[in-house]
Amino acid sequence: MSDANHERAQRLISASRVEGISPRDQAWLDAHVEACGRCAALARSTERALGSLRSLSVPIDASLVNRTRLKVYLRAQELHEEQHRTWALWISCALSWILGVASAPFVWRAFAWLGEQAGLPSLVWQIGFVMWWALPAGVAAAVVAWHKSRAVDEEASSATLPRSNS
Ligand SMILES: [Zn+2]
């Protein structure tokens, strides 16, 4: 018998105990387990393990379950929003780069003209041009770094503060 069949059988054994499988898969699995000692042993040991788990009755506070659910939900929401913010940041970075590259020749000419009008050595207005280019990126990097460190601080303080109202 091919390895793929055993793998499928093992996947179905787990799935049938967790989320359930279709009648067609169940029929296939039954037929396979009947013919295959290895997978039959796996099915039996899975059943035994689950059986001993079920027989362990753990008293769980219903409000604890609800609070945990709420926390998981809120955290999922938070992660979702964070992802959105990260995307927005990437898009604005890409746009600023595109705009920067597109406008560079005009800005270069403007700096050259200004340098000429002011009688500056070309090195001075060229440094000015580089600064104009690097400054927004530097500011953006600083803002991102600041946000990151603030997020870490918030995480740290929320982890240490006892929260009686949650
Ligand atoms: Zn098998």
Side-chain angles (χ1 to χ4, degrees):
M1 209 170 298
S2 78
D3 278 350
N5 275 338
H6 297 303
E7 261 167 43
R8 186 183 169 197
Q10 282 155 21
R11 213 174 45 239
L12 287 175
I13 287 168
S14 312
S16 71
R17 301 304 192 283
V18 181
E19 70 261 34
I21 57 178
S22 71
R24 234 185 71 208
D25 283 340
Q26 186 65 57
W28 181 90
L29 179 63
D30 289 344
H32 179 88
V33 166
E34 201 139 304
C36 172
R38 210 171 80 187
C39 291
L42 178 78
R44 273 197 304 276
S45 65
T46 304
E47 194 51 60
R48 262 205 309 278
L50 283 175
S52 58
L53 266 182
R54 274 192 218 103
S55 63
L56 283 174
S57 69
V58 181
I60 294 174
D61 184 6
S63 73
L64 176 71
V65 172
N66 284 335
R67 269 200 320 255
T68 308
R69 267 202 205 121
L70 183 68
K71 272 186 187 160
V72 169
Y73 173 78
L74 289 177
R75 182 68 188 138
Q77 287 282 71
E78 222 175 80
L79 286 176
H80 191 73
E81 274 163 29
E82 226 161 79
Q83 220 169 21
H84 268 270
R85 274 203 299 269
T86 309
W87 262 107
L89 191 68
W90 275 109
I91 289 170
S92 56
C93 277
L95 274 179
S96 85
W97 265 94
I98 291 167
L99 282 175
V101 170
S103 63
F106 303 104
V107 177
W108 177 266
R109 255 177 269 159
F111 269 83
W113 182 82
L114 280 174
E116 213 172 287
Q117 295 300 307
L120 294 171
S122 51
L123 187 67
V124 172
W125 66 259
Q126 280 164 9
I127 287 173
F129 173 80
V130 170
M131 292 289 284
W132 174 86
W133 243 79
L135 202 62
V139 169
V143 167
V144 169
W146 181 72
H147 267 281
K148 281 237 164 101
S149 72
R150 214 179 53 152
V152 168
D153 284 350
E154 267 170 22
E155 200 114 302
S157 64
S158 71
T160 52
L161 276 178
R163 277 193 284 180
S164 51
N165 59 339
S166 63

